[in-house]
Coordinates of all heavy atoms in Angstrom, one line a residue:
K1 N -48.0 113.1 -183.0 CA -47.1 113.0 -181.8 C -45.8 112.5 -182.2 O -45.7 111.5 -183.0 CB -47.8 112.2 -180.7 CG -49.0 112.8 -180.2 CD -49.6 112.0 -179.0 CE -50.8 112.7 -178.4 NZ -51.3 112.1 -177.3
G2 N -44.8 113.0 -181.6 CA -43.4 112.6 -182.0 C -42.5 112.5 -180.9 O -42.7 113.1 -179.8
E3 N -41.4 111.8 -181.1 CA -40.4 111.6 -180.1 C -39.1 112.4 -180.5 O -38.1 112.4 -179.8 CB -40.1 110.1 -179.9 CG -41.2 109.4 -179.4 CD -41.0 107.9 -179.4 OE1 -40.0 107.4 -179.9 OE2 -41.9 107.2 -178.9
Y4 N -39.1 112.9 -181.7 CA -38.0 113.8 -182.2 C -38.6 114.8 -183.1 O -39.7 114.7 -183.6 CB -36.9 113.0 -182.8 CG -37.3 112.3 -184.1 CD1 -37.1 112.9 -185.3 CD2 -37.9 111.0 -184.1 CE1 -37.5 112.3 -186.5 CE2 -38.2 110.4 -185.3 CZ -38.1 111.1 -186.5 OH -38.4 110.5 -187.6
V5 N -37.8 115.9 -183.4 CA -38.2 116.9 -184.3 C -37.1 117.1 -185.3 O -35.9 117.0 -185.0 CB -38.5 118.2 -183.5 CG1 -37.3 118.8 -182.9 CG2 -39.1 119.3 -184.5
E6 N -37.5 117.2 -186.6 CA -36.6 117.5 -187.7 C -36.8 118.9 -188.2 O -38.0 119.3 -188.5 CB -36.8 116.5 -188.8 CG -36.4 115.1 -188.6 CD -36.5 114.2 -189.8 OE1 -37.1 114.7 -190.8 OE2 -36.0 113.1 -189.7
I7 N -35.8 119.7 -188.3 CA -35.9 121.1 -188.7 C -35.2 121.1 -190.1 O -34.0 120.8 -190.2 CB -35.2 122.0 -187.7 CG1 -35.8 121.9 -186.4 CG2 -35.2 123.4 -188.2 CD1 -35.0 122.3 -185.2
R8 N -36.0 121.5 -191.1 CA -35.5 121.5 -192.5 C -35.6 122.9 -193.0 O -36.4 123.7 -192.6 CB -36.4 120.6 -193.3 CG -36.4 119.2 -192.9 CD -37.4 118.4 -193.8 NE -37.5 117.0 -193.4 CZ -36.8 116.1 -193.9 NH1 -36.0 116.3 -194.9 NH2 -36.9 114.8 -193.5
N9 N -34.7 123.2 -193.9 CA -34.7 124.5 -194.7 C -34.5 125.7 -193.7 O -35.1 126.7 -193.9 CB -35.9 124.6 -195.5 CG -35.8 125.7 -196.6 OD1 -34.7 126.0 -197.0 ND2 -36.9 126.2 -197.0
F10 N -33.7 125.6 -192.7 CA -33.5 126.7 -191.8 C -32.5 127.6 -192.4 O -31.4 127.2 -192.7 CB -33.0 126.2 -190.4 CG -32.7 127.2 -189.4 CD1 -33.7 128.0 -188.9 CD2 -31.4 127.5 -189.1 CE1 -33.5 129.0 -188.0 CE2 -31.2 128.5 -188.2 CZ -32.2 129.3 -187.6
L11 N -32.8 128.8 -192.7 CA -32.0 129.8 -193.4 C -31.6 129.3 -194.7 O -30.5 129.6 -195.2 CB -30.8 130.2 -192.6 CG -31.1 131.0 -191.3 CD1 -29.8 131.3 -190.5 CD2 -31.8 132.3 -191.6
G12 N -32.4 128.4 -195.4 CA -32.1 127.9 -196.7 C -31.0 126.8 -196.7 O -30.6 126.4 -197.8
E13 N -30.7 126.3 -195.6 CA -29.7 125.2 -195.5 C -30.3 123.9 -196.0 O -31.5 123.6 -195.8 CB -29.1 125.1 -194.1 CG -28.4 126.2 -193.6 CD -27.9 126.1 -192.2 OE1 -28.4 125.1 -191.5 OE2 -27.1 126.8 -191.7
K14 N -29.4 123.1 -196.6 CA -29.9 121.7 -197.0 C -29.8 120.7 -195.8 O -30.4 119.7 -195.9 CB -29.0 121.2 -198.1 CG -29.1 122.1 -199.4 CD -30.4 122.0 -200.0 CE -30.4 122.8 -201.3 NZ -31.7 122.9 -201.8
R15 N -29.1 121.1 -194.8 CA -28.9 120.2 -193.7 C -30.2 120.0 -192.9 O -30.9 121.0 -192.6 CB -27.8 120.8 -192.8 CG -27.5 120.0 -191.6 CD -26.4 120.7 -190.8 NE -26.5 120.2 -189.4 CZ -26.4 121.0 -188.3 NH1 -26.2 122.3 -188.5 NH2 -26.5 120.5 -187.1
V16 N -30.4 118.8 -192.5 CA -31.6 118.5 -191.7 C -31.1 118.3 -190.2 O -30.3 117.5 -189.9 CB -32.3 117.2 -192.1 CG1 -33.5 116.8 -191.2 CG2 -32.8 117.3 -193.6
R17 N -31.7 119.1 -189.4 CA -31.4 119.1 -187.9 C -32.4 118.2 -187.2 O -33.6 118.4 -187.3 CB -31.4 120.5 -187.3 CG -30.4 121.4 -188.0 CD -30.8 122.9 -187.7 NE -30.1 123.8 -188.6 CZ -29.2 124.6 -188.3 NH1 -28.8 124.6 -187.0 NH2 -28.6 125.4 -189.1
K18 N -31.9 117.2 -186.5 CA -32.7 116.3 -185.8 C -32.4 116.4 -184.3 O -31.3 116.3 -183.9 CB -32.5 114.8 -186.3 CG -33.4 113.8 -185.6 CD -33.1 112.4 -186.1 CE -33.9 111.4 -185.3 NZ -33.6 110.1 -185.6
V19 N -33.5 116.6 -183.5 CA -33.3 116.8 -182.1 C -34.2 115.7 -181.4 O -35.4 115.7 -181.6 CB -33.7 118.2 -181.6 CG1 -33.5 118.3 -180.1 CG2 -32.9 119.2 -182.4
D20 N -33.6 114.8 -180.6 CA -34.4 113.8 -179.9 C -34.9 114.4 -178.6 O -34.2 115.2 -178.0 CB -33.5 112.6 -179.6 CG -33.1 111.8 -180.8 OD1 -33.9 111.7 -181.7 OD2 -31.9 111.4 -180.9
M21 N -36.1 114.0 -178.3 CA -36.7 114.5 -177.0 C -36.3 113.7 -175.9 O -35.9 112.5 -176.0 CB -38.3 114.5 -177.1 CG -38.8 115.4 -178.2 SD -38.5 117.1 -177.8 CE -37.1 117.5 -178.9
L22 N -36.2 114.2 -174.7 CA -35.8 113.5 -173.5 C -36.9 112.9 -172.8 O -38.0 113.4 -172.7 CB -35.1 114.5 -172.6 CG -33.9 115.3 -173.2 CD1 -33.4 116.4 -172.2 CD2 -32.8 114.4 -173.5
E23 N -36.6 111.7 -172.2 CA -37.6 111.0 -171.4 C -38.9 110.8 -172.0 O -39.0 110.3 -173.1 CB -37.7 111.6 -170.0 CG -36.4 111.5 -169.2 CD -36.5 112.1 -167.8 OE1 -37.6 112.2 -167.3 OE2 -35.5 112.4 -167.3
D24 N -40.0 111.3 -171.4 CA -41.4 111.1 -171.9 C -41.9 112.3 -172.6 O -43.1 112.5 -172.8 CB -42.3 110.6 -170.8 CG -42.5 111.7 -169.8 OD1 -41.7 112.6 -169.7 OD2 -43.5 111.6 -169.0
T25 N -41.1 113.2 -173.1 CA -41.5 114.5 -173.7 C -42.1 114.1 -175.1 O -41.5 113.4 -175.9 CB -40.3 115.5 -173.9 OG1 -39.8 115.7 -172.6 CG2 -40.8 116.8 -174.5
V26 N -43.2 114.7 -175.4 CA -43.9 114.4 -176.7 C -44.1 115.8 -177.4 O -44.5 116.8 -176.7 CB -45.3 113.7 -176.4 CG1 -46.0 113.5 -177.7 CG2 -45.0 112.4 -175.7
I27 N -43.9 115.8 -178.7 CA -44.2 117.0 -179.5 C -45.5 116.8 -180.2 O -45.8 115.8 -180.8 CB -43.1 117.1 -180.5 CG1 -41.7 117.1 -179.9 CG2 -43.3 118.4 -181.4 CD1 -40.6 117.0 -180.9
I28 N -46.3 117.9 -180.1 CA -47.6 117.9 -180.8 C -47.6 119.2 -181.7 O -47.2 120.2 -181.2 CB -48.8 118.0 -179.8 CG1 -48.7 116.7 -178.9 CG2 -50.1 118.0 -180.6 CD1 -49.7 116.8 -177.8
R29 N -48.0 119.0 -182.9 CA -48.1 120.1 -183.9 C -49.4 120.8 -183.6 O -50.4 120.2 -183.6 CB -48.0 119.6 -185.3 CG -47.5 120.6 -186.2 CD -47.2 120.0 -187.5 NE -46.9 121.0 -188.4 CZ -46.5 120.9 -189.7 NH1 -46.5 119.7 -190.2 NH2 -46.3 121.9 -190.4
S30 N -49.4 122.1 -183.5 CA -50.6 122.9 -183.2 C -51.5 122.9 -184.4 O -51.1 123.0 -185.5 CB -50.2 124.4 -182.9 OG -51.3 125.1 -182.7
E31 N -52.8 122.7 -184.1 CA -53.8 122.7 -185.1 C -54.2 124.1 -185.6 O -54.6 124.3 -186.7 CB -55.1 122.0 -184.6 CG -54.8 120.5 -184.2 CD -54.6 119.6 -185.4 OE1 -55.2 119.9 -186.4 OE2 -53.9 118.6 -185.2
T32 N -54.1 125.0 -184.7 CA -54.7 126.4 -185.0 C -53.6 127.3 -185.5 O -53.9 128.2 -186.4 CB -55.3 127.0 -183.7 OG1 -54.3 127.0 -182.7 CG2 -56.5 126.2 -183.2
V33 N -52.4 127.2 -185.0 CA -51.3 128.2 -185.4 C -50.3 127.4 -186.3 O -49.8 126.4 -185.9 CB -50.6 128.7 -184.2 CG1 -49.5 129.7 -184.6 CG2 -51.6 129.4 -183.3
K34 N -50.0 128.0 -187.5 CA -49.0 127.4 -188.4 C -47.6 127.5 -187.7 O -47.3 128.5 -187.1 CB -49.0 128.2 -189.7 CG -48.1 127.6 -190.7 CD -48.0 128.5 -191.9 CE -47.0 127.9 -192.9 NZ -46.4 128.9 -193.7
D35 N -46.8 126.5 -187.9 CA -45.4 126.5 -187.5 C -45.3 126.6 -186.0 O -44.4 127.2 -185.5 CB -44.6 127.5 -188.1 CG -44.4 127.3 -189.6 OD1 -44.6 126.2 -190.1 OD2 -44.2 128.3 -190.4
Q36 N -46.2 126.0 -185.2 CA -46.1 126.0 -183.8 C -46.1 124.6 -183.3 O -46.8 123.7 -183.7 CB -47.3 126.8 -183.1 CG -47.2 126.8 -181.6 CD -48.4 127.6 -181.0 OE1 -49.4 127.8 -181.7 NE2 -48.2 128.0 -179.8
L37 N -45.1 124.3 -182.3 CA -45.0 123.0 -181.7 C -45.3 123.1 -180.2 O -45.0 124.1 -179.6 CB -43.6 122.5 -181.8 CG -43.0 122.3 -183.3 CD1 -41.6 121.9 -183.2 CD2 -43.8 121.3 -184.0
I38 N -46.0 122.1 -179.7 CA -46.3 122.1 -178.3 C -45.6 120.9 -177.7 O -45.7 119.8 -178.2 CB -47.8 121.9 -178.1 CG1 -48.6 123.1 -178.7 CG2 -48.2 121.8 -176.6 CD1 -50.1 122.9 -178.8
L39 N -44.8 121.1 -176.7 CA -44.1 120.1 -176.0 C -44.8 119.8 -174.7 O -45.1 120.7 -173.9 CB -42.6 120.5 -175.7 CG -41.6 120.4 -176.8 CD1 -41.9 121.2 -178.0 CD2 -40.2 120.7 -176.2
E40 N -45.1 118.5 -174.5 CA -45.8 118.0 -173.3 C -45.0 116.9 -172.6 O -44.4 116.1 -173.3 CB -47.2 117.6 -173.6 CG -48.1 118.7 -174.1 CD -49.5 118.2 -174.3 OE1 -49.7 117.0 -174.4 OE2 -50.4 119.0 -174.5
G41 N -45.2 116.8 -171.3 CA -44.6 115.6 -170.6 C -44.8 115.8 -169.1 O -45.2 116.8 -168.6
S42 N -44.5 114.7 -168.4 CA -44.8 114.7 -167.0 C -43.6 115.3 -166.2 O -43.8 115.8 -165.1 CB -45.0 113.3 -166.5 OG -43.9 112.5 -166.7
N43 N -42.4 115.3 -166.8 CA -41.2 115.9 -166.1 C -40.9 117.2 -166.6 O -40.5 117.4 -167.8 CB -40.0 114.9 -166.3 CG -38.8 115.3 -165.5 OD1 -38.8 116.4 -164.9 ND2 -37.9 114.4 -165.4
I44 N -41.1 118.3 -165.8 CA -41.0 119.7 -166.3 C -39.6 120.0 -166.7 O -39.3 120.7 -167.6 CB -41.5 120.7 -165.2 CG1 -41.5 122.1 -165.8 CG2 -40.7 120.6 -164.0 CD1 -42.7 122.4 -166.6
Q45 N -38.6 119.3 -166.0 CA -37.2 119.6 -166.4 C -36.8 119.0 -167.7 O -36.1 119.6 -168.5 CB -36.3 119.0 -165.3 CG -36.4 119.8 -164.0 CD -35.6 119.2 -162.8 OE1 -35.3 118.0 -162.9 NE2 -35.4 120.0 -161.8
A46 N -37.3 117.8 -168.0 CA -37.1 117.2 -169.3 C -37.7 117.9 -170.4 O -37.1 118.1 -171.5 CB -37.6 115.7 -169.3
V47 N -38.9 118.4 -170.2 CA -39.6 119.2 -171.2 C -38.9 120.5 -171.5 O -38.6 120.9 -172.7 CB -41.1 119.5 -170.8 CG1 -41.7 120.4 -171.8 CG2 -41.9 118.2 -170.7
S48 N -38.5 121.2 -170.5 CA -37.8 122.5 -170.7 C -36.4 122.3 -171.3 O -36.0 123.1 -172.1 CB -37.7 123.3 -169.4 OG -37.0 122.5 -168.4
R49 N -35.8 121.2 -170.9 CA -34.4 120.9 -171.5 C -34.6 120.5 -173.0 O -33.7 120.9 -173.8 CB -33.8 119.8 -170.7 CG -32.3 119.6 -171.1 CD -31.5 118.9 -170.1 NE -30.3 118.5 -170.7 CZ -29.9 117.2 -170.7 NH1 -30.6 116.3 -170.1 NH2 -28.8 116.9 -171.3
S50 N -35.6 119.8 -173.3 CA -35.9 119.5 -174.7 C -36.2 120.7 -175.5 O -35.7 120.9 -176.7 CB -37.1 118.5 -174.8 OG -36.8 117.3 -174.2
A51 N -36.9 121.7 -175.0 CA -37.2 123.0 -175.6 C -35.9 123.7 -175.8 O -35.6 124.4 -176.9 CB -38.2 123.8 -174.9
A52 N -35.0 123.7 -174.9 CA -33.7 124.4 -175.0 C -32.8 123.7 -176.0 O -32.1 124.4 -176.8 CB -33.0 124.3 -173.6
L53 N -32.9 122.4 -176.2 CA -32.1 121.7 -177.2 C -32.6 122.1 -178.6 O -31.8 122.3 -179.5 CB -32.2 120.2 -177.0 CG -31.4 119.6 -175.8 CD1 -31.7 118.2 -175.7 CD2 -29.9 119.8 -176.0
I54 N -33.9 122.2 -178.8 CA -34.4 122.7 -180.0 C -34.0 124.1 -180.3 O -33.6 124.4 -181.4 CB -36.0 122.6 -180.0 CG1 -36.4 121.1 -179.9 CG2 -36.5 123.2 -181.3 CD1 -37.9 120.9 -179.7
H55 N -34.1 125.0 -179.3 CA -33.7 126.4 -179.5 C -32.2 126.5 -179.9 O -31.8 127.3 -180.7 CB -34.0 127.2 -178.3 CG -33.6 128.6 -178.3 ND1 -34.3 129.5 -179.1 CD2 -32.6 129.2 -177.7 CE1 -33.7 130.7 -178.9 NE2 -32.6 130.5 -178.1
Q56 N -31.3 125.7 -179.2 CA -29.9 125.8 -179.4 C -29.5 125.3 -180.8 O -28.5 125.7 -181.4 CB -29.2 125.0 -178.3 CG -29.2 125.7 -177.0 CD -28.5 124.9 -175.9 OE1 -28.2 123.7 -176.1 NE2 -28.3 125.5 -174.8
S57 N -30.3 124.3 -181.3 CA -29.9 123.8 -182.6 C -30.2 124.8 -183.8 O -29.7 124.6 -184.9 CB -30.7 122.5 -182.9 OG -32.1 122.8 -183.1
C58 N -30.9 125.8 -183.5 CA -31.3 126.8 -184.5 C -30.7 128.2 -184.2 O -31.3 129.2 -184.6 CB -32.8 126.9 -184.7 SG -33.4 125.4 -185.4
L59 N -29.6 128.3 -183.5 CA -29.0 129.6 -183.3 C -28.4 130.1 -184.6 O -27.7 129.4 -185.3 CB -28.0 129.5 -182.2 CG -28.5 129.3 -180.8 CD1 -27.3 129.2 -179.8 CD2 -29.4 130.4 -180.3
V60 N -28.5 131.4 -184.9 CA -28.0 132.0 -186.0 C -26.5 132.5 -185.7 O -26.4 133.3 -184.8 CB -28.8 133.2 -186.5 CG1 -28.2 133.9 -187.7 CG2 -30.2 132.8 -186.8
K61 N -25.6 131.9 -186.4 CA -24.2 132.2 -186.1 C -23.6 132.9 -187.3 O -24.0 132.7 -188.5 CB -23.4 131.0 -185.8 CG -23.9 130.3 -184.6 CD -23.2 129.0 -184.3 CE -23.8 128.3 -183.1 NZ -23.3 127.0 -182.9
K62 N -22.6 133.8 -187.1 CA -21.9 134.5 -188.1 C -22.8 135.4 -189.0 O -22.5 135.7 -190.1 CB -21.1 133.6 -189.0 CG -20.1 132.8 -188.3 CD -19.3 131.9 -189.2 CE -18.3 131.1 -188.4 NZ -17.6 130.2 -189.3
K63 N -23.9 135.8 -188.4 CA -24.8 136.8 -189.1 C -25.3 137.8 -188.1 O -25.3 137.5 -186.9 CB -26.0 136.0 -189.7 CG -25.6 135.2 -190.9 CD -26.8 134.6 -191.6 CE -26.5 133.9 -192.9 NZ -25.6 132.9 -192.9
D64 N -25.8 138.9 -188.5 CA -26.3 139.9 -187.6 C -27.7 139.5 -187.2 O -28.6 139.4 -188.0 CB -26.4 141.3 -188.4 CG -26.8 142.4 -187.5 OD1 -27.0 142.2 -186.3 OD2 -27.0 143.5 -188.0
I65 N -27.9 139.2 -185.9 CA -29.1 138.6 -185.4 C -30.3 139.7 -185.4 O -31.4 139.3 -185.3 CB -29.0 138.1 -184.0 CG1 -28.5 139.1 -183.0 CG2 -28.1 136.9 -184.0 CD1 -28.5 138.7 -181.6
R66 N -29.9 140.9 -185.6 CA -31.0 141.9 -185.8 C -31.6 141.8 -187.2 O -32.8 142.2 -187.4 CB -30.4 143.3 -185.6 CG -29.9 143.6 -184.2 CD -29.2 144.9 -184.0 NE -28.0 144.8 -184.8 CZ -27.1 145.8 -184.9 NH1 -27.3 146.9 -184.4 NH2 -26.0 145.6 -185.6
M67 N -30.9 141.3 -188.1 CA -31.4 141.2 -189.5 C -32.0 139.8 -189.7 O -33.1 139.7 -190.4 CB -30.2 141.4 -190.5 CG -29.6 142.7 -190.5 SD -30.8 144.0 -191.1 CE -30.9 143.6 -192.8
F68 N -31.4 138.8 -189.2 CA -31.9 137.4 -189.3 C -32.6 137.0 -188.1 O -32.1 136.5 -187.1 CB -30.7 136.5 -189.6 CG -30.1 136.7 -190.9 CD1 -29.0 137.5 -191.0 CD2 -30.5 136.1 -192.1 CE1 -28.3 137.8 -192.2 CE2 -29.9 136.4 -193.3 CZ -28.8 137.2 -193.3
L69 N -33.9 137.2 -188.1 CA -34.8 136.9 -186.9 C -35.3 135.5 -187.0 O -36.2 135.1 -186.2 CB -35.9 137.9 -186.8 CG -35.5 139.4 -186.6 CD1 -36.7 140.3 -186.6 CD2 -34.7 139.5 -185.3
D70 N -34.8 134.7 -187.9 CA -35.3 133.3 -188.0 C -34.8 132.5 -186.8 O -33.8 132.8 -186.2 CB -34.8 132.6 -189.3 CG -35.3 133.3 -190.5 OD1 -36.3 134.1 -190.4 OD2 -34.8 133.0 -191.6
G71 N -35.6 131.5 -186.4 CA -35.2 130.7 -185.3 C -36.4 130.1 -184.6 O -37.6 130.3 -185.1
I72 N -36.2 129.4 -183.6 CA -37.2 128.8 -182.8 C -37.2 129.4 -181.4 O -36.2 129.5 -180.8 CB -37.0 127.3 -182.7 CG1 -37.2 126.7 -184.1 CG2 -38.0 126.7 -181.7 CD1 -37.0 125.2 -184.2
Y73 N -38.3 129.9 -181.0 CA -38.4 130.7 -179.7 C -39.5 130.1 -178.8 O -40.5 129.5 -179.3 CB -38.8 132.2 -180.0 CG -37.7 132.8 -180.9 CD1 -38.0 133.0 -182.2 CD2 -36.6 133.3 -180.3 CE1 -37.0 133.6 -183.0 CE2 -35.6 133.9 -181.1 CZ -35.9 134.1 -182.5 OH -34.9 134.7 -183.3
V74 N -39.4 130.2 -177.5 CA -40.4 129.8 -176.6 C -41.4 130.9 -176.5 O -41.1 132.1 -176.2 CB -39.7 129.5 -175.2 CG1 -40.8 129.2 -174.2 CG2 -38.7 128.4 -175.3
E75 N -42.7 130.5 -176.7 CA -43.8 131.5 -176.6 C -44.3 131.6 -175.2 O -44.5 132.7 -174.7 CB -44.9 131.1 -177.6 CG -46.0 132.1 -177.6 CD -47.1 131.6 -178.5 OE1 -46.9 131.5 -179.7 OE2 -48.2 131.3 -178.0
S76 N -44.5 130.5 -174.6 CA -45.1 130.6 -173.2 C -44.7 129.3 -172.5 O -44.4 128.3 -173.1 CB -46.6 130.7 -173.2 OG -47.2 129.5 -173.8
K77 N -44.6 129.4 -171.1 CA -44.3 128.3 -170.3 C -45.4 128.2 -169.2 O -46.1 129.1 -168.9 CB -43.0 128.6 -169.5 CG -41.8 128.8 -170.4 CD -40.6 129.2 -169.5 CE -39.4 129.6 -170.4 NZ -38.3 130.0 -169.5
G78 N -45.6 127.0 -168.7 CA -46.6 126.8 -167.7 C -46.9 125.3 -167.5 O -46.6 124.5 -168.3
E79 N -47.5 125.1 -166.4 CA -47.9 123.7 -166.1 C -49.4 123.6 -166.5 O -50.2 124.5 -166.5 CB -47.8 123.5 -164.6 CG -46.4 123.5 -164.1 CD -46.3 123.2 -162.6 OE1 -47.3 122.6 -162.0 OE2 -45.2 123.5 -162.0
M80 N -49.7 122.4 -166.9 CA -51.1 122.0 -167.3 C -51.9 121.9 -166.0 O -51.5 121.3 -165.0 CB -51.1 120.7 -168.1 CG -50.3 120.8 -169.4 SD -51.1 121.7 -170.6 CE -52.4 120.7 -171.0
N81 N -53.1 122.4 -166.1 CA -54.1 122.2 -165.0 C -54.7 120.9 -165.1 O -54.8 120.3 -166.2 CB -55.2 123.3 -165.0 CG -54.6 124.7 -164.7 OD1 -53.5 124.8 -164.0 ND2 -55.2 125.7 -165.2
A82 N -55.3 120.4 -164.0 CA -55.9 119.1 -164.0 C -57.2 119.1 -164.9 O -57.6 118.0 -165.4 CB -56.3 118.6 -162.6
D83 N -57.9 120.2 -165.0 CA -59.1 120.2 -165.8 C -58.9 120.4 -167.3 O -59.8 120.3 -168.1 CB -60.0 121.4 -165.3 CG -59.3 122.7 -165.4 OD1 -58.1 122.8 -165.3 OD2 -60.0 123.8 -165.6
E84 N -57.6 120.5 -167.8 CA -57.4 120.6 -169.2 C -57.2 119.3 -169.8 O -56.7 118.4 -169.3 CB -56.2 121.5 -169.5 CG -56.4 123.0 -169.2 CD -55.2 123.8 -169.5 OE1 -54.2 123.3 -170.1 OE2 -55.2 125.0 -169.2

C-alpha cells in the first residue's frame, strides 16, 4: 500500500515521475495482473482525481499517439459493495 506512485522508465526516460495521492487514497498493486494498480479510498472525488493526476503525468507529447500507445489508462470505475 502506498501514498504516492513513482513512474520509472516511461518511454525510456531517466526521469522519475512522482505523483502524490490525495486525502485517504491508497494504491494497491494487483496480485493477479502485471503492471496494474488499484486505487481505493472513501472519497470518490479524491480517488478519481488521483487517477487523473497519474494519467496526466504520463501523456505522450510531441509524438504520434497512434504509434506510441504507452501510458497509464483507466480500466474500470465503480464503487465497492459492502460485501467485498
Side-chain angles (χ1 to χ4, degrees):
K1 295 185 177 184
E3 297 171 355
Y4 65 92
V5 62
E6 286 184 354
I7 302 160
R8 299 175 183 265
N9 197 22
F10 179 68
L11 293 178
E13 294 177 346
K14 299 290 183 190
R15 180 177 155 225
V16 177
R17 301 161 194 251
K18 181 180 175 187
V19 181
D20 293 321
M21 295 296 100
L22 303 173
E23 296 181 19
D24 64 342
T25 305
V26 178
I27 305 167
I28 302 170
R29 203 167 175 180
S30 176
E31 300 287 330
T32 57
V33 181
K34 181 185 176 208
D35 296 336
Q36 182 178 16
L37 300 174
I38 301 170
L39 276 61
E40 293 181 346
S42 59
N43 187 347
I44 188 79
Q45 292 174 341
V47 173
S48 58
R49 190 159 164 240
S50 296
L53 289 172
I54 294 171
H55 178 73
Q56 287 175 351
S57 71
C58 293
L59 290 178
V60 177
K61 297 177 183 168
K62 299 183 183 176
K63 290 187 171 57
D64 187 4
I65 59 172
R66 295 172 293 179
M67 297 292 292
F68 294 92
L69 296 175
D70 295 348
I72 296 179
Y73 301 98
V74 175
E75 181 181 297
S76 63
K77 301 176 186 178
E79 295 183 16
M80 299 284 291
N81 295 333
D83 57 330
E84 289 183 4

